[in-house]
Amino acid sequence: MTPTPSRTAIVTGAARGIGAAVARRLAADGFAVAVLDRTEGDGKQTVAAIDAAGGRAVAVGADVGDPDRVRAAVDQVAAELGPPGVLVNNAGITRDNLLFKMTDDDWDAVMWVHVRGAFLMTRAVQRHMVDQGWGRIVNLSSTSALGNRGQANYAAAKAGLQGFTKTLAIELGRYGVTANAIAPGFIATDMTAATAARVGMSVADFQQAAAAQIPVRRVGTPEDIAHVASFLASDAASFVSGQIVYVAGGPAA
């Protein structure tokens, strides 16, 4: 008997940027979406946009690195929207610095959100997917996983998510659950705008310089990532698992 796919998705870090675009796209695909961010209030704008477009969404507040809050958040989603069948681990922060200037807190904060957060969220959600015999896990990595000056913490976290993804694919495949990662290149978000400010460039000049190095001659948008997440969350991607999809406008390495 073919399992009936759950139509509930959780997107972490969905208040803005890539997470918000993914949440909106999954809602347009027919999923009820839990917009998870640090506080419930942070996700209200994304929820309002989904509601205005005729979709269904709720805002959920949780620190993804706190196991108690993660368990409570997933239980809340299951109660309000139904058992989650799609999880997009997008929550992330940067604490960029050269290695000799990087503090213990800089390192730990990035690992807490990216790696610990993805682990805790996935562990909490996978039981619902296994029970249903269907699930889609999409982790947000980055081209920085290949190495990037000033981002030892971020690069290590994003590379770690790639190994995490491949292991999930091996462990959960027999239960009808796939796991894949998207590794964006330069995407125009608040995070890259903050990087521009840190290096003393205007956002426009920073993006123009980046686009000149990209084969398609433009920077990416959050919607570019949302399109790929939509596919990986679909039934059409049932034979795609354990893959790292670089969405960077050209070869990533």
Side-chain angles (χ1 to χ4, degrees):
M1 180 174 168
T2 302
T4 301
S6 166
R7 301 306 292 173
T8 298
I10 299 175
V11 183
T12 70
R16 60 189 61 82
I18 289 172
V22 171
R24 292 192 302 267
R25 176 56 190 266
L26 292 180
D29 291 341
F31 288 94
V33 181
V35 175
L36 192 148
D37 216 283
R38 288 277 303 182
T39 70
E40 182 179 328
D42 290 339
K44 292 292 189 182
Q45 185 172 352
T46 304
V47 169
I50 290 172
D51 288 345
R56 184 181 176 208
V58 296
V60 179
D63 176 352
V64 294
D66 182 328
D68 293 334
R69 287 298 301 123
V70 165
R71 280 192 294 268
V74 173
D75 288 347
Q76 177 187 343
V77 173
E80 294 186 18
L81 298 179
V86 173
L87 171 64
V88 181
N89 285 309
N90 168 76
I93 61 171
T94 55
R95 294 291 185 272
D96 296 350
N97 224 326
L98 294 175
L99 181 63
F100 77 99
K101 294 181 179 179
M102 188 170 288
T103 67
D104 295 351
D105 287 344
D106 290 338
W107 181 272
D108 291 343
V110 170
M111 293 299 168
W112 178 275
V113 176
H114 293 268
V115 182
R116 180 182 171 92
F119 160 66
L120 291 175
M121 287 296 306
T122 304
R123 188 177 65 180
V125 169
Q126 60 84 31
R127 62 187 173 89
H128 292 286
M129 297 178 174
V130 170
D131 286 346
Q132 296 172 87
W134 188 94
R136 299 286 184 266
I137 299 165
V138 181
N139 296 319
L140 265 293
S141 181
S142 169
T143 55
S144 291
L146 302 171
N148 197 30
R149 186 176 187 273
Q151 288 194 316
N153 49 4
Y154 188 77
K158 291 305 193 182
L161 282 175
Q162 296 190 8
F164 180 60
T165 299
K166 291 176 181 292
T167 302
L168 293 176
I170 294 167
E171 292 188 7
L172 298 177
R174 70 188 64 187
Y175 304 108
V177 180
T178 66
N180 294 283
I182 302 172
F186 190 108
I187 306 296
T189 63
D190 291 345
M191 189 176 288
T192 51
T195 302
R198 180 173 58 83
V199 300
M201 296 178 67
S202 71
V203 172
D205 287 345
F206 191 59
Q207 291 186 5
Q208 185 176 10
Q213 304 301 315
I214 299 171
V216 300
R217 291 298 187 269
R218 71 169 176 88
V219 300
T221 68
E223 288 70 27
D224 289 320
I225 308 305
H227 294 320
V228 180
S230 171
F231 168 68
L232 293 175
S234 72
D235 282 328
S238 63
F239 203 56
V240 180
S241 196
Q243 302 306 303
I244 315 301
V245 183
Y246 284 91
V247 184

